[in-house]
Amino acid sequence: MPRKPAVRTKKAAKTAARLTEKPATRTGRVPLSEVEEIVRKMLETQRYSPWFDTEEAARYLRKEPNTLKVWRSKTQGPRFHTVNDKFIRYHVDDLDAFVRGGSAKKPSAENPPLDKSTT
């Protein structure tokens, strides 16, 4: 038996139609076209990188950054890469594998850190 559409759905449809048809007239209201433009600009400026530093990786794993440092010193924890003998970076795939119980070792000479795509 078909269900009747909810009243909220009709109200939401009317509101959406009103927002797309009429520009904002009251103070504090922003037209939908301006919101879309703002979102588009934000998406263009925000670049996603699968490489995390220690703080970002800790936030991703919901751990403290010091925990990752201790794991590195004990050669435990997720796989990490050293860039220019100075910067520690974690790839999101390595963090996911660690959470799933996968590999937790440092890169070897046969598996350099550039083996993953940066896109």
Side-chain angles (χ1 to χ4, degrees), residues 67-117:
T67 302
L68 272 69
K69 292 175 186 176
V70 170
W71 285 347
R72 282 197 311 262
S73 70
K74 295 181 177 181
T75 63
Q76 298 174 342
R79 183 175 170 197
F80 64 92
H81 304 271
T82 306
V83 180
N84 294 336
D85 294 326
K86 186 176 183 181
F87 303 106
I88 303 295
R89 294 293 182 257
Y90 294 88
H91 196 277
V92 68
D93 293 341
D94 295 330
L95 297 175
D96 290 339
F98 175 72
V99 169
R100 289 189 305 266
S103 151
K105 56 185 174 182
K106 291 175 67 173
S108 63
E110 299 86 34
N111 191 10
L114 297 177
D115 62 348
K116 294 202 167 104
S117 169

Side-chain angles (χ1 to χ4, degrees), residues 42-84:
M42 289 299 294
L43 290 174
E44 289 172 0
T45 59
Q46 299 296 321
R47 301 278 190 249
Y48 170 75
S49 172
W51 295 97
F52 295 157
D53 63 9
T54 302
E55 287 75 23
E56 292 169 331
R59 209 173 315 124
Y60 186 80
L61 296 174
R62 297 185 183 183
K63 300 287 184 189
E64 291 295 321
N66 201 35
T67 302
L68 272 69
K69 292 175 186 176
V70 170
W71 285 347
R72 282 197 311 262
S73 70
K74 295 181 177 181
T75 63
Q76 298 174 342
R79 183 175 170 197
F80 64 92
H81 304 271
T82 306
V83 180
N84 294 336

